[in-house]
Amino acid sequence: MNATEVTPGIVCFSVNIQDMLFEGIWPMPHGANMNSYLVKGDKVALIDGVCGWDGVPENLLGQLTELGVSVDDIDYVVINHMEPDHSGWLDAFKKLRKTFTIVTSAKAVPLLEAFYSLKDQPVKVVGDGDTLDLGQGHVLAFAEIPNVHWPETMATFDTKTGTLFPCDAFGSFGNVEGPAYDDQLSPEQIKSFEKEAVRYYSNIVAAFSQPTAKAIEKVEKLLGDQLKIIAPGHGIIWRRNPGKIISDYKRYASYQKGPAKAEVTVIWGSMYGNTAMAVPTVIRTLKESGLKVNEFRVPEDSLGDILTACWTSTGLVLAMPTYEYKMFPPMAALVDELGKKKLLNRHVFRLGSYGWSGGAQTELDEIMRRHKTGWRFVTPVEFKGRPTDADLELIEKRTRGLAARVHYAILKADHRR
Ligand SMILES: Cc1cc2nc3c(=O)[nH]c(=O)nc-3n(C[C@H](O)[C@H](O)[C@H](O)COP(=O)(O)O)c2cc1C
Ligand SMILES: [Fe+2]
Ligand SMILES: [Fe+2]
């Protein structure tokens, strides 16, 4: 655990986590980082906790002692978000400190009881417009930001320093080695966190893009230029340019409905290599048309990587054979997941090999209807067995059609902006 000063009166405790699947599903190739914050007035508040906080009591006690703070000085524990990555440390903290007041939203109260049996714990319920005066000018103000990412989520704002604690919002994946603040990082390091922010957003927050967009609007309206620092629950802290992560997050949220970037993600699966034979034609044609291409194979490549690429792509190509009268199963699972994440309005081309009946399209249509994806398809190309030269020509032509649609969608959106 690392303790750093965010600004006078506020300390960040941060912990890196790795070699685990986030939410039990999502690989984190570059790890992740968890932040907890201490705000010190006459009273002391600890805002959110961290998972992977091995040996919480010893670690926390050690850090507090170094800061000249006793655990008994902690009066309030603010829970912005009940997901156990931030609240799971409560069990350990309870053993350290018998009397403290939890400050949280009304919707979090039954969850506190259900997850941590915190029945007799003093709880101060706060909502929009409520404040908590810690003394020495640190007045915490609260705003409900439901469904970023659970229904009970709120954000906390320290009015003295202009620091916003939005928990999951504005977070990114990636271990934080060394400097944890945007003003201490090189442009290259900021760029690599940007990639990790897209991974975090697309894997964890994506399905809640509309509530996230609303929350950003609400926070901007409430705080205006009072907002100086963004101190999220995951990733780096934005002190020099909080506007950057705000505009990045707005853009990520807007990608849900498309168009996104001038990119096409090509995902293919193949049992015996027949569908695979058509993939190079697709990729070459897309590249020739000036689009960035992300290529993945199912089931070999990770769902997290594929989702990250799809989120920033305006176009998709799905290449898969028919399997037992349906889509190749790992492709069906992937497309279903993209639908659940509400990846909407993409321009899509489907192709693939079949033996005697086909059937992949029926299942794809069913998934599209179920998730109301609004995906717009160019006419699919199915071929029997290996693709013939004529099949490949047609695939090239349809891929060009897809590329044109992608370029046009982006041009149209740029024109509107
Ligand atoms: C387990 C299995 C199930 C299949 N089910 C169907 C089917 O229901 N309908 C069909 O037209 N072809 C079916 N096929 C044939 C494949 O779609 C065909 O062999 C195709 O060329 C495979 O493409 P690939 O080499 O890209 O995997 C099946 C093949 C296998 C191995
Ligand atoms: Fe969360
Ligand atoms: Fe989180």
Side-chain angles (χ1 to χ4, degrees):
M1 189 167 62
N2 204 9
T4 52
E5 184 182 70
V6 179
T7 190
I10 302 182
V11 174
C12 171
F13 301 117
S14 88
V15 171
N16 282 329
I17 53 173
Q18 60 227 340
D19 303 326
M20 61 177 280
L21 296 173
F22 200 80
E23 297 180 344
I25 317 173
W26 308 106
M28 303 182 293
H30 308 290
N33 151 272
M34 304 286 316
N35 297 320
S36 172
Y37 299 93
L38 186 111
V39 183
K40 198 170 170 305
D42 299 321
K43 303 259 183 199
V44 177
L46 200 53
I47 301 179
D48 294 328
V50 298
C51 76
W53 200 339
D54 289 334
V56 177
E58 307 79 52
N59 250 321
L60 182 63
L61 275 180
Q63 294 286 357
L64 289 173
T65 311
E66 271 183 41
L67 295 166
V69 179
S70 154
V71 72
D72 294 323
D73 295 337
I74 296 174
D75 307 282
Y76 301 106
V77 168
V78 178
I79 302 283
N80 281 317
H81 176 31
M82 271 299 298
E83 190 171 6
D85 56 333
H86 305 279
S87 68
W89 64 292
L90 272 172
D91 281 334
F93 187 74
K94 271 193 307 183
K95 293 189 187 117
L96 276 182
R97 176 88 173 107
K98 292 280 173 285
T99 52
F100 61 96
T101 299
I102 291 181
V103 180
T104 197
S105 68
K107 283 189 204 146
V109 175
L111 297 176
L112 273 172
E113 197 178 314
F115 284 78
Y116 306 110
S117 316
L118 279 167
K119 234 189 191 146
D120 305 318
Q121 187 70 35
V123 176
K124 180 176 167 61
V125 172
V126 292
D128 278 338
D130 289 336
T131 55
L132 175 66
D133 192 346
L134 300 178
Q136 297 178 31
H138 291 283
V139 177
L140 299 182
F142 306 95
E144 290 159 46
I145 50 167
N147 299 312
V148 184
H149 124 246
W150 283 16
E152 82 303 344
T153 315
M154 63 176 201
T156 299
F157 182 67
D158 175 45
T159 47
K160 180 176 182 181
T161 59
T163 307
L164 178 70
F165 305 97
C167 203
D168 278 351
F170 308 122
S172 42
F173 274 144
N175 277 172
V176 176
E177 308 290 356
Y181 298 88
D182 67 337
D183 47 291
Q184 301 168 336
L185 296 166
S186 67
E188 294 71 42
Q189 286 170 311
I190 301 253
K191 264 252 159 312
S192 78
F193 271 107
E194 213 173 294
K195 286 195 194 128
E196 290 299 316
V198 179
R199 177 185 292 282
Y200 178 77
Y201 187 92
S202 58
N203 289 200
I204 310 301
V205 185
F208 308 95
S209 287
Q210 292 321 302
T212 302
K214 262 195 208 151
I216 296 173
E217 211 177 289
K218 180 171 180 174
V219 162
E220 279 191 312
K221 210 160 142 195
L222 277 174
L223 303 181
D225 56 11
Q226 286 183 77
L227 177 60
K228 304 278 187 259
I229 300 172
I230 292 184
H234 303 276
I236 56 174
I237 297 163
W238 302 85
R239 244 178 355 193
R240 176 161 53 199
N241 189 5
K244 172 168 164 47
I245 192 71
I246 293 177
S247 67
D248 285 354
Y249 255 65
K250 276 186 186 166
R251 215 173 48 252
Y252 305 153
S254 81
Y255 289 165
Q256 180 178 64
K257 290 189 181 163
K261 294 189 189 177
E263 285 179 24
V264 174
T265 296
V266 177
I267 309 143
W268 61 275
S270 184
M271 296 177 279
Y272 296 109
N274 294 292
T275 303
M277 281 181 206
V279 173
T281 302
V282 171
I283 290 181
R284 178 181 43 77
T285 310
L286 289 170
K287 285 188 176 162
E288 279 167 8
S289 81
L291 291 164
K292 179 173 180 244
V293 181
N294 313 304
E295 182 192 350
F296 297 98
R297 181 175 184 177
V298 283
E300 285 80 353
D301 291 323
S302 105
L303 181 57
D305 285 344
I306 299 175
L307 186 50
T308 307
C310 290
W311 200 258
T312 55
S313 292
T314 300
L316 307 176
V317 175
L318 309 174
M320 88 298 276
T322 293
Y323 182 101
E324 295 176 358
Y325 302 95
K326 296 208 157 104
M327 246 194 284
F328 185 50
M331 184 66 82
L334 169 74
V335 175
D336 191 50
E337 187 58 37
L338 296 178
K340 286 180 187 162
K341 292 292 188 195
K342 302 193 180 80
L343 182 89
L344 306 174
N345 305 328
R346 268 30 184 191
H347 293 280
V348 190
F349 174 36
R350 182 188 77 79
L351 64 144
S353 177
Y354 68 101
W356 56 91
S357 61
Q361 187 68 40
T362 315
E363 190 180 15
L364 185 56
D365 290 343
E366 187 276 314
I367 298 174
M368 294 297 102
R369 271 196 305 276
R370 185 149 38 86
H371 292 298
K372 300 189 178 68
T373 58
W375 290 5
R376 279 156 267 184
F377 286 84
V378 298
T379 314
V381 178
E382 287 198 302
F383 43 91
K384 208 168 163 121
R386 281 186 197 174
T388 61
D389 287 347
D391 292 327
L392 293 175
E393 257 173 54
L394 187 58
I395 286 164
E396 185 179 327
K397 188 172 152 212
R398 297 274 156 80
T399 306
R400 264 193 257 115
L402 176 79
R405 288 189 188 192
V406 168
H407 280 300
Y408 180 68
I410 292 168
L411 261 179
K412 209 166 91 184
D414 283 349
H415 191 68
R416 274 201 307 265
R417 278 195 277 261

